[in-house]
Amino acid sequence: MRPSKPHHSGQKKASTIWGGRFADGPSQLMQEINASISFDKTLYRQDIAGSIAHAKMLADQNILTADDRDQIISGLQQIEKDIAAGTFTFSDQLEDIHMNIETRLVELIGDPAKRLHTARSRNDQVATDLRIWLREAIADIDSMLARLQAALLNQAEAHTETVMPGYTHLQTAQPITFGFHLMAYVQMFGRDRSRFADCSKRMNESPLGAAALAGTSHPIDRHKTAALLGFKQPMANAMDAVSARDFAVEFMSAASICSTHLSRLAEEIVIWSTDRFAFISLSDAFTTGSSIMPQKRNPDAAELIRAKPGRIMGDMVALLTVLKGLPLAYSKDMQEDKEPVFDAKKSLCISLMAMTGMIEDMTANPEAMRQALRKGHPAATDLADYLVAELNIPFRNAHHITGALVALADKKDCGLDDLSLEELQSVEPKLTGTAQAILSIDHAVAARTSYGGTAPDQVRACIAEARVQFLLLTDAT
């Protein structure tokens, strides 16, 4: 390798990149709209990995000498160290991460670097880089989702018997447990992990070696580079390989759904932490104060998570709009694919980390949850079910009888379980003291023993099952 020297990558002529076809360089405005290095430098590790795999394959196929391969790999490894250390100078004049790295490699090792681009194009390079980057991003997201699930499971396990209202239309519906409620999100985030895993499987094919769009006449081995880069196989059609971005759209679709689940949980945290509900409290770590109202504790982390889906969905729509109507194969429009993907990943990851922190941080208020069950007659359905199961009354009639008792309780400003036996029998004479026991909140919760139900024993079983299903056998996984 040649001695390292200062990296001066500026140029006034386009010929260094584009060859002899262009005599003059681009205008300043063209250079600004054309350059992508400000964001695609994010892909430097993936680009270098792809180049190293390509160099190894070219040497194995006797397209490069072993000496050229070794110099190329050594130079690329040095460049990777320089970029990681922050000592590499990126140039807008060199457009993108590929040409910035290649130009520096030429400075370091000379002619062998000029042979690296044999049998490939920036079109297959960038498609390969983005697939590797997204594959790694999905692995990161899966780990974060697993940690969030573990935090939810731990809270659910601590509150399998903490009763609270279950809501529909945000109106009191039936009594449930707090652990049961949190387990719903464990399942949601489990499906998110499954979607990301499916996305990763579909994108795990290598575009490298597709070249510009039609493959190459050089005797390359695309299966070898695919294997070196951890891909299952090379993509079967070179034109599809360079022009496909559905894998990025699929990633952002999964991210949009996941962020929506996070937003729903964030909304509940906002509601639960209000003084009207007071079901939970958050510490100073995930709340902020007011500049004017000293008593305020605002759940800003939850509110910001609640807002993130708009941004992530917008990223997905932006990419879909870029791709809509593009003819095959590559068009420069596709340079607009990376910023939305990078932004969606960043937004989702910060949301996942903040939500995990809040779930671990939150303290439940079981007394407030139980007290909330004094309103809304949450055991009404249990009474109707009792009338059907024990007194053989048709459900529609049972519904009517229970509704009349609810009206009586409302008139007396009390709960159904506060009505005397005489008052119950004034509406339905067949009722006995057993009906009063049915109206107990704890009885109503314990009675729902169907699979997936809210009975504490059932919730405990579902927690154990979830730990195995989602490989969450310890708190740290």
Side-chain angles (χ1 to χ4, degrees):
M1 185 189 300
R2 294 181 180 178
S4 180
K5 60 183 179 180
H7 180 205
H8 301 295
S9 299
Q11 63 170 40
K12 294 183 179 179
K13 299 290 185 181
S15 56
T16 301
I17 302 177
W18 298 326
R21 171 66 179 83
F22 290 82
D24 297 317
S27 69
Q28 181 63 34
L29 182 58
M30 178 60 195
Q31 192 166 288
E32 288 182 13
I33 195 173
N34 194 47
S36 61
I37 189 59
S38 64
F39 51 86
D40 69 16
K41 62 186 177 184
T42 300
L43 300 171
Y44 80 89
R45 287 191 306 100
Q46 293 78 19
D47 196 68
I48 288 171
S51 291
I52 289 174
H54 189 64
K56 289 178 178 178
M57 180 275 295
L58 291 177
D60 287 349
Q61 297 299 110
N62 296 315
I63 300 170
L64 281 183
T65 67
D67 183 59
D68 282 350
R69 174 201 62 203
D70 293 344
Q71 289 192 62
I72 288 169
I73 292 173
S74 180
L76 288 169
Q77 289 171 338
Q78 181 59 52
I79 290 170
E80 183 171 10
K81 290 178 184 177
D82 292 343
I83 296 175
T87 59
F88 187 94
T89 302
F90 292 102
S91 170
D92 288 347
Q93 293 179 325
L94 294 172
E95 293 187 33
D96 55 35
I97 188 61
H98 321 299
M99 295 313 303
N100 269 266
I101 290 175
E102 183 178 314
T103 301
R104 180 56 176 156
L105 189 62
V106 172
E107 291 178 355
L108 288 173
I109 68 171
D111 282 349
K114 298 177 182 179
R115 297 188 177 96
L116 175 59
H117 208 53
T118 304
R120 73 174 185 183
S121 162
R122 285 185 292 174
N123 295 356
D124 61 336
Q125 266 188 277
V126 70
T128 302
D129 293 354
L130 189 55
R131 284 174 183 263
I132 296 173
W133 187 91
L134 271 173
R135 193 176 62 192
E136 294 169 354
I138 288 173
D140 290 342
I141 289 167
D142 184 72
S143 294
M144 292 178 189
L145 279 165
R147 286 195 291 271
L148 175 54
Q149 285 182 300
L152 287 163
L153 281 166
N154 290 340
Q155 287 280 14
E157 202 159 40
H159 293 286
T160 55
E161 299 192 24
T162 300
V163 295
M164 66 175 288
Y167 297 97
T168 60
H169 310 277
L170 207 55
Q171 305 291 320
T172 299
Q174 293 178 325
I176 60 172
T177 68
F178 190 43
F180 173 75
H181 194 127
L182 294 177
M183 285 299 294
Y185 287 102
V186 171
Q187 294 298 325
M188 286 187 200
F189 294 128
R191 292 193 296 276
D192 289 326
R193 291 179 68 187
S194 176
R195 269 183 284 271
F196 280 117
D198 286 345
C199 175
S200 187
K201 288 177 184 176
R202 265 185 290 280
M203 78 167 63
N204 201 31
E205 296 183 337
S206 174
L208 194 59
L213 80 160
T216 177
S217 59
H218 294 282
I220 63 172
D221 185 347
R222 291 188 61 211
H223 287 84
K224 180 179 291 292
T225 50
L228 287 171
L229 293 170
F231 288 106
K232 181 181 179 183
Q233 61 196 26
M235 294 186 72
N237 182 280
M239 184 174 283
D240 179 46
V242 299
S243 60
R245 292 296 185 274
D246 54 310
F247 66 93
V249 175
E250 185 174 4
F251 167 79
M252 288 196 284
S253 173
S256 295
I257 295 170
C258 182
S259 69
T260 300
H261 290 159
L262 287 167
S263 183
R264 295 183 73 178
L265 179 51
E267 167 69 357
E268 299 214 272
I269 289 174
V270 170
I271 292 171
W272 292 340
S273 63
T274 61
D275 53 8
R276 296 298 179 94
F277 277 73
F279 286 0
I280 65 165
S281 60
L282 297 170
S283 75
D284 294 351
F286 292 96
T287 56
T288 64
S290 165
S291 64
I292 189 173
M293 296 170 285
Q295 82 281 12
K296 294 296 292 299
R297 182 192 289 274
N298 300 321
D300 282 6
E303 291 171 0
L304 289 166
I305 292 171
R306 188 173 59 184
K308 288 295 184 184
R311 182 167 183 155
I312 295 171
M313 292 174 197
D315 289 330
M316 180 176 67
V317 171
L319 180 54
L320 283 168
T321 304
V322 167
L323 297 174
K324 179 197 67 64
L326 279 187
L328 298 179
Y330 184 85
S331 296
K332 194 68 171 183
D333 313 49
M334 295 170 73
Q335 182 169 288
E336 296 293 318
D337 62 351
K338 286 170 280 300
E339 286 184 288
V341 170
F342 296 161
D343 183 72
K345 191 256 184 177
K346 180 180 178 181
S347 296
L348 181 60
C349 286
I350 193 74
S351 297
L352 285 167
M353 289 186 288
M355 181 58 76
T356 301
M358 281 193 295
I359 295 300
E360 291 172 342
D361 176 75
M362 73 180 183
T363 301
N365 184 351
E367 183 54 38
M369 293 182 186
R370 180 175 284 275
Q371 189 61 34
L373 286 164
R374 298 303 305 162
K375 299 179 180 179
H377 312 295
T381 305
D382 296 84
L383 180 59
D385 288 341
Y386 169 79
L387 291 169
V388 171
E390 300 299 326
L391 301 183
N392 199 29
I393 295 174
F395 180 78
R396 191 52 56 204
N397 293 350
H399 188 285
H400 180 80
I401 291 167
T402 304
L405 288 168
V406 166
L408 177 59
D410 283 343
K411 184 177 180 181
K412 294 177 61 64
D413 193 24
C414 68
L416 277 175
D417 57 338
D418 294 320
L419 294 176
S420 67
L421 179 58
E422 291 75 15
E423 287 169 328
L424 293 175
Q425 291 175 336
S426 70
V427 174
E428 174 48 63
K430 294 181 181 179
L431 287 172
T432 67
T434 304
Q436 289 178 300
I438 292 295
L439 293 170
S440 158
I441 295 300
D442 293 308
H443 178 278
V445 169
R448 287 180 164 77
T449 56
S450 59
Y451 180 77
T454 193
D457 286 345
Q458 187 58 231
V459 174
R460 280 188 280 267
C462 286
I463 290 170
E465 183 178 309
R467 289 196 186 278
V468 174
Q469 178 185 358
F470 301 120
L471 303 178
L472 302 169
L473 302 181
T474 68
D475 294 350
T477 56

